[in-house]
């Protein structure tokens, strides 16, 4: 994998559903993996940064895991709420600490 | 702290016109970045700077120039705007010693080139 790839591109769930998205990134020369939350008409805000294989981070109902050997990360949202509606971006600074390569994001819409 | 600010928020240009977008940060960050965001393309890096007086090309630098004369400011210039440069532009900054280069973003500038 040469680029950072995210799937699915978009997701529509109902309130209370749990959901997860995938981020794939180059596993060689790995440095760190970032997740950002990006609400419409706002700017991206950092959720997590993970560096170690097997890392798991949690913030409220949102959690993320990291597999650096195979080059993927999962973001989980438990019991989705309408306020979780946003685009979730992942980014990797594989190979160089000074730059991030972003995926195209997963757009989540949570309805009542 | 204001964080990262961008000026202007919106702008409409005619093809061939020039303009400069200003990014300012008050967090004493070393690194600053300019991205463009287009539908289905995610954030693409235009240029970046790892310190005052230094700049480097990103993924899509053609048609843009940048300057970092002061640590807190990063300017993005379009010398001769083209319709392909219609986009939303985001500035970001980060510190190399914090959060593995966790980046803080400005509110964006929506640019339309007619």
């Amino acid at each position: 994998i040469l680029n950072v790839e995210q799937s699915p591109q978009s997701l529509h769930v109902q309130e209370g559903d749990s959901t997860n998205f995938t981020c794939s990134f180059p596993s060689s020369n790995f440095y760190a993996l970032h997740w950002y939350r990006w609400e419409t008409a706002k700017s991206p805000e950092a959720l997590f940064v993970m560096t170690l294989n097997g890392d798991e981070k949690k913030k409220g109902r949102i959690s993320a895991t990291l597999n650096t050997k195979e080059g993927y990360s999962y973001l989980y949202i438990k019991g989705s709420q309408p306020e979780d509606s946003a685009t979730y971006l992942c980014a990797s600074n594989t190979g160089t600490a000074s730059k991030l390569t972003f995926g195209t994001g997963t757009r989540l819409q949570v309805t009542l | 702290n204001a964080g990262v600010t961008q000026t202007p928020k919106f702008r409409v240009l005619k093809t061939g016109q020039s303009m400069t977008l200003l990014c300012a940060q008050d967090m004493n960050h070393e690194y600053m970045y300019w991205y463009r965001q287009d539908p289905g393309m995610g954030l693409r890096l235009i240029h970046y700077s790892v310190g005052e007086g230094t700049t480097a090309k990103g993924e899509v630098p053609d048609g843009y120039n940048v300057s970092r004369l002061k640590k807190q400011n990063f300017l993005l210039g379009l010398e001769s705007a083209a319709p392909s440069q219609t986009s939303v532009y985001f500035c970001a900054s980060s510190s190399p010693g914090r959060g593995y280069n966790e980046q803080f973003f400005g509110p964006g500038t929506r640019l339309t080139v007619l």
Side-chain angles (χ1 to χ4, degrees):
Chain A
I1 297 174
L2 299 178
N3 295 319
V4 177
E5 298 172 355
Q6 292 186 246
S7 63
Q9 189 173 4
S10 64
L11 201 51
H12 191 164
V13 302
Q14 291 194 317
E15 182 181 17
D17 289 348
S18 293
T19 187
N20 64 86
F21 332 129
T22 304
C23 172
S24 302
F25 55 89
S27 56
S28 59
N29 299 318
F30 174 79
Y31 185 69
L33 191 284
H34 302 248
W35 281 100
Y36 286 83
R37 183 172 181 273
W38 192 1
E39 290 184 68
T40 303
K42 295 186 178 180
S43 51
E45 292 184 347
L47 274 174
F48 305 116
V49 57
M50 295 182 289
T51 58
L52 298 176
N53 186 46
D55 244 357
E56 182 170 346
K57 294 283 178 82
K58 188 174 181 180
K59 186 180 291 187
R61 293 178 291 97
I62 304 176
S63 60
T65 60
L66 179 68
N67 183 322
T68 60
K69 294 182 179 179
E70 297 182 37
Y72 65 84
S73 175
Y74 293 135
L75 187 79
Y76 301 91
I77 302 179
K78 184 178 179 182
S80 303
Q81 299 296 310
E83 57 265 31
D84 295 328
S85 297
T87 295
Y88 292 84
L89 293 173
C90 72
S92 169
N93 39 352
T94 298
T96 169
S98 61
K99 293 190 296 180
L100 290 180
T101 300
F102 284 85
T104 53
T106 292
R107 184 175 178 182
L108 174 67
Q109 188 171 358
V110 183
T111 54
L112 296 172
Chain B
N1 289 346
V4 180
T5 58
Q6 293 182 229
T7 309
K9 289 186 169 54
F10 305 93
R11 186 73 186 270
V12 178
L13 290 179
K14 293 182 180 179
T15 297
Q17 287 185 316
S18 63
M19 77 163 294
T20 300
L21 282 67
L22 171 64
C23 176
Q25 52 94 6
D26 61 2
M27 296 175 283
N28 200 35
H29 284 169
E30 290 292 331
Y31 296 172
M32 295 187 75
Y33 308 84
W34 276 107
Y35 294 92
R36 60 179 289 172
Q37 189 256 329
D38 302 292
M41 303 290 285
L43 288 169
R44 292 185 293 169
L45 183 64
I46 304 171
H47 286 280
Y48 66 105
S49 169
V50 297
E52 183 179 322
T54 69
T55 63
K57 293 180 180 180
E59 182 185 352
V60 288
D62 294 342
Y64 305 96
N65 56 75
V66 288
S67 64
R68 182 105 181 263
L69 299 179
K70 294 182 179 180
K71 185 178 183 178
Q72 63 268 36
N73 296 337
F74 195 29
L75 278 64
L76 178 71
L78 286 73
E79 290 186 348
S80 180
S84 61
Q85 294 177 305
T86 293
S87 187
V88 181
Y89 292 85
F90 285 94
C91 176
S93 70
S94 68
S95 172
R98 172 178 174 167
Y100 296 89
N101 197 25
E102 174 188 339
Q103 294 185 12
F104 295 81
F105 286 83
T109 295
R110 184 173 294 275
L111 175 66
T112 301
V113 183
L114 302 175

